[in-house]
Amino acid sequence: MKTEAPRQVVTDKESPARNAGMALSGVEADVTTRLRTKAELEQARGLMDTVCERGNLKLAYQRVIENKGAAGVDSIGVAEFKDHLKQHWPTIKAKLLAGSYIPSPVRRVDIPKPQGGVRTLGIPTLTDRLIQQALHQALSPIFEADFSASSYGFRPGRNAHQAVKAAKRYVAEGRRYVVDMDLEKFFDRVNHDLLMEKLSKKIGDRRVLRLIRRYLEAGMMAAGIVTPRKEGTPQGGPLSPLLSNVLLTGLDRELESRGHAFCRYADDCNIYVKSRQAGERVMASLTRFLADTLKLTVNAAKSAVARPWERKFLGYSLTWHKVPRLRIAPASYQRLENRVREVLKGTRGRSLTTTISELNPLLRGWMAYFRLTETKNTLEELDGWIRHKLRCTMWRQWKRPYTRATNLKKAGLTEERAFRSAFNERGPWWNSGASHMNQAFPKSFFDRLGLVSLLDTMRRLQCVQ
């Protein structure tokens, strides 16, 4: 299953940099500790009381505000949310405790996938995001103890880097084939009845169960029309990741009972085996298991039994060596190139310093996620390509040959070479990669302007580790 290195979306979906550090803060740890002790009393006093506890709600509010994100169908944004709560929260809380609260529909947002197609997000209102976050904080301690050690996604203290390291370890141990399974539209196909059955085994408060069911069935609004939902838990709300882990724990337990080595990050699961024949058997049997037991469909076109270095997992891949090394999957650096191109569009009217200041946050965030890479060639090539693009921008901005010659002279070229280069009648891309531009504007020039070097950043990050 191919989950891109993880990126920032409209609401609560974590970016690759946030996924790399989901440890609990001190405040969260205190709240979680209290919730664990209260979970034992949930049958007696009701889990909804824990959800609506002041400390739990305060933490949930902080999380929602920090995540920012777009407004839902009520058009109430972060700036207006506090005043809205002051006026309406007493009524909302009373309805929650009475079990009569009805969530608003979610706002439909379609975003393009890197591999083509679209991913549909359901954006809840800020009020519903607050309630979902409070539910998540109360439910997580109850279900966390039952989750698999091989599950890494959307869990406190666990992250994508741990999953990638585990995958590397399995391959180093001799499991040189991977069963890469892609679940077809997982978040759109979650069976509500099956999920609610699993939740009811741990949750005794019927108010909480009814509320979760209402969130699952909340309609999706697009162009003013609300479409009801009978399956799926759309991405975009704080509760969906936890619910996906609750459902897919059934897959984890099945894999563990068979003794398989695997890594699962949300709906992205790779199983590591020692032969292609074993992999084909696992693929066939798990396809049946998922269809019969969890009501999920494997996307045959995107799933495969292959060598690990032929597939990608969470944006990474592996080398073929006996002791494999982590490398950045080609699709991941292709996405970076596409994003760099977007930043550089329409740069003719901007200074080079301004352009670099816009590029740097993108480069830092990307390298923070891919700091585990153990191959340097790709980063050197990307660094060189980015500088090439910036030189091309400079050449285009100069426009006239005399301006180009003047700037090349200022950069240290002789007058004869500067004019010969400026009047060579070659195109911008050729000139920006030619020796005269590389000599006039070497790496040290861009270093002085503060351009982030991916290779240098990787070295610094690895020294800190």
Side-chain angles (χ1 to χ4, degrees), residues 92-109:
I92 295 170
K93 181 178 179 181
K95 289 181 178 180
L96 288 171
L97 293 173
S100 59
Y101 178 78
I102 306 296
S104 299
V106 297
R107 183 167 64 87
R108 176 171 178 155
V109 176

Side-chain angles (χ1 to χ4, degrees), residues 194-210:
L194 185 59
L195 176 57
M196 293 307 302
E197 178 188 353
K198 292 181 178 296
L199 291 170
S200 64
K201 292 178 181 179
K202 287 279 188 178
I203 300 173
D205 193 324
R206 292 186 179 276
R207 296 170 299 176
V208 173
L209 291 171
R210 281 197 300 268

Side-chain angles (χ1 to χ4, degrees), residues 186-245:
F186 168 73
F187 285 95
D188 297 330
R189 300 284 175 83
V190 169
N191 184 283
H192 290 176
D193 292 335
L194 185 59
L195 176 57
M196 293 307 302
E197 178 188 353
K198 292 181 178 296
L199 291 170
S200 64
K201 292 178 181 179
K202 287 279 188 178
I203 300 173
D205 193 324
R206 292 186 179 276
R207 296 170 299 176
V208 173
L209 291 171
R210 281 197 300 268
L211 181 58
I212 294 174
R213 184 96 192 197
R214 287 168 183 163
Y215 275 122
L216 291 173
E217 295 177 347
M220 185 172 286
M221 180 179 286
I225 299 173
V226 178
T227 305
R229 285 206 319 270
K230 295 184 177 179
E231 63 178 1
T233 169
Q235 300 175 73
L239 199 54
S240 292
L242 176 64
L243 297 181
S244 70
N245 275 335

Side-chain angles (χ1 to χ4, degrees), residues 371-387:
R371 67 178 180 268
L372 298 183
T373 184
E374 297 170 288
T375 57
K376 299 177 181 178
N377 292 344
T378 298
L379 298 181
E380 289 177 334
E381 292 173 4
L382 279 171
D383 275 340
W385 178 81
I386 291 169
R387 292 192 294 270

